[in-house]
Amino acid sequence: MDAAPDLHEAAQLLASPPRDLVAVSYNIHKAVGSDGRRQPERILDVLDEIGADIAVLQEADRRFGIRHSVLPVPLLAARGWRAVPFDCSGISLGWHGNAVLVRNGVVPLRYRRIRLPAIEPRGAVLADLGVGPGTLRVAGMHLDLSGLQRRNQAEAVLQHLAAAPGDPPTLVMGDLNCWRADEPSLRALSARLRPLPLPASFPARLPIGRLDRIFASADLSVRDFGVHASATARIASDHLPVWVQLGLGLS
């Protein structure tokens, strides 16, 4: 599924792009923190701490039933965020819990949902985002607990990237559920994209696992990257967010 927003709205949003771009990947655990409380405001507080312009989220919707968003749309709007509309119902924020939020002059140009091979329902999302005169392609995913499935899912995302029109600078981000550095899914992604050597991000209170990953195409200007480990981030979710700061040499 490919779609695009209203062109007049897009032109208005592109009028004031950020000078640099900060993109975040964050498994928000359905907005339930390490204290057991569901407080979506804390998730947005963490994104504000980072200064994020793009947020690629996992577990952004309830898992069962009609999959209500755990981040209310009025709250997002009040905090300056817009969701890429992967879900047409207006109930869910994303697709199988994967969502992309944008602000600060970043506008969705094209977007699609990706079905992933899995025993339980899994998906990924792909969006081309306009930033000033350029385009950034972003893929977000939350891979399976099974190693074999993770490899197949990573390959499926790469196939969709290769088939998508154009060849803009690309970020691939998400919770890959990979505990070992030699995982086939990581090798598959690293063969096509540059893996950023991020520290551990899970569990949030005392991170030991590098489950949250960012991969960048060679044509992206990566200025900085890291794991955000503030006091709020350590309690807002069971994962810490990972982030990358990009120069705006987008094509």
Side-chain angles (χ1 to χ4, degrees), residues 30-33 35 37-44 70-71 75 236:
K30 304 174 184 63
V32 177
D35 58 358
R37 298 178 180 178
R38 189 188 308 277
Q39 293 188 2
E41 295 87 355
R42 294 191 298 202
I43 300 298
L44 302 183
V70 299
L71 299 177
L75 175 62

Side-chain angles (χ1 to χ4, degrees), residues 40-236:
E41 295 87 355
R42 294 191 298 202
I43 300 298
L44 302 183
D45 290 342
V46 171
L47 296 178
D48 283 344
E49 289 177 351
I50 300 170
D53 305 293
I54 300 169
V56 178
L57 306 181
Q58 303 87 50
E59 298 193 23
D61 301 318
R62 303 289 182 98
R63 184 174 183 183
F64 301 110
I66 57 176
R67 298 179 180 271
H68 279 283
S69 169
V70 299
L71 299 177
V73 171
L75 175 62
L76 290 173
R79 301 288 289 267
W81 289 102
R82 301 168 64 244
V84 176
F86 298 108
D87 177 73
C88 299
S89 69
I91 296 172
S92 300
L93 193 62
W95 168 245
H96 290 296
N98 297 283
V100 177
L101 307 180
V102 297
R103 65 176 174 184
N104 292 346
V106 180
V107 61
L109 301 176
R110 291 169 295 276
Y111 38 89
R112 65 172 57 182
R113 304 181 298 196
I114 301 173
R115 292 188 181 274
L116 295 181
I119 297 174
E120 63 172 320
R122 290 275 177 176
V125 292
L126 181 62
D128 286 354
L129 305 175
V131 186
T135 300
L136 175 68
R137 178 165 289 162
V138 175
M141 68 189 79
H142 187 187
L143 300 189
D144 205 275
L145 297 175
S146 160
L148 176 61
Q149 291 291 351
R150 283 197 297 272
R151 178 178 181 176
N152 294 338
Q153 291 165 358
E155 293 285 359
V157 171
L158 289 170
Q159 290 170 11
H160 277 272
L161 285 172
D167 188 27
T170 299
L171 281 178
V172 174
M173 315 173 78
D175 177 359
L176 272 59
N177 271 317
C178 295
W179 286 90
R180 303 193 325 269
D182 61 347
E183 289 244 1
S185 55
L186 295 179
R187 291 201 302 268
L189 290 164
S190 298
R192 285 277 309 277
L193 299 156
R194 172 180 27 159
L196 303 186
L198 293 160
S201 56
F202 178 84
R205 287 186 182 271
L206 187 63
I208 58 173
R210 295 177 61 203
L211 305 189
D212 303 286
R213 305 273 183 159
I214 299 175
F215 298 82
S217 59
D219 50 358
L220 273 174
S221 172
V222 175
R223 297 189 185 277
D224 202 1
F225 55 86
V227 173
H228 184 71
S230 69
T232 304
R234 290 187 184 277
I235 198 171

